Each structure stands twice: as structure tokens, then as C-alpha cells.
Amino acid sequence: TNKKLEIADLEGLLFENSSITDGTEFNFKTQTAGKYTLEIRDHFKTLISKSIINAEVGDNVIKFYTKALQNSDYTILIKKDGKTIYNVKYNIQ
């Protein structure tokens, strides 16, 4: 795992940088394997992008692709079975 993305806790969400650019990596660490939904919403809470993460137990380091998004602040949500697990705000460039 990229040293910048190490999560000491059993679960967590950590992005490589304070803002997200094309190819930025993030670590989604979980104790429960399965399908998770990653949603990106704009400041009006409109759904911009939705994808599925097939997570394994432990670290899941994933690249974030942003070319289809305008530079702005977004809310990134990770959900499992319709329940929000993480809700964070990031600037995507």
C-alpha cells in the first residue's frame, strides 16, 4: 500500500491528497467484503456519477478518474445496502 494511504484503524477512507485530480488514489479499508456504491454529488446534491466498488476485507486502493467532471467541490459518498458509510467533501480538479 502507498505509505500516504495507510490506515491504522480497521476501517476508513483516505485520499492521497487534499484535492482530487485525475488518477488520484484513495484507500477504502473495510472489515466487510462486498459491493459498495460510490456516489459523487454536486453542491445541489444532484447525482453526478455512480459506480460499484467490489471491496475485499482490508485495504482497497482505487484510482479516481476525473476527466468527465468539471472543477468544483463535490460530495463523495460510499454506501452499502443503501446506507451511507462515508460522506466527505472534496475539490475535484
Side-chain angles (χ1 to χ4, degrees):
T1 306
N2 178 340
K3 287 280 185 203
K4 285 174 133 179
L5 294 174
E6 285 184 5
I7 298 172
D9 296 330
L10 294 174
E11 295 189 333
L13 177 65
L14 182 63
F15 284 82
E16 190 174 4
N17 300 307
S18 57
S19 64
I20 298 170
T21 57
D22 195 56
T24 295
E25 290 184 324
F26 69 98
N27 185 3
F28 170 54
K29 188 172 184 180
T30 182
Q31 293 186 64
T32 309
K35 292 186 187 293
Y36 291 80
T37 304
L38 182 136
E39 294 182 359
I40 301 172
R41 294 184 177 269
D42 66 13
H43 62 280
F44 297 112
K45 298 186 179 169
T46 303
L47 181 64
I48 302 300
S49 175
K50 185 176 182 178
S51 58
I52 301 296
I53 298 171
N54 289 312
E56 296 179 5
V57 173
D59 295 300
N60 295 274
V61 177
I62 302 163
K63 282 193 188 248
F64 206 101
Y65 295 101
T66 63
K67 288 185 179 184
L69 302 172
Q70 294 182 350
N71 293 356
S72 187
D73 291 329
Y74 292 91
T75 301
I76 299 168
L77 300 120
I78 294 185
K79 298 180 174 186
K80 174 95 170 131
D81 301 324
K83 180 184 172 200
T84 300
I85 298 170
Y86 294 101
N87 179 340
V88 295
K89 291 189 183 342
Y90 271 90
N91 180 267
I92 296 179
Q93 302 173 359

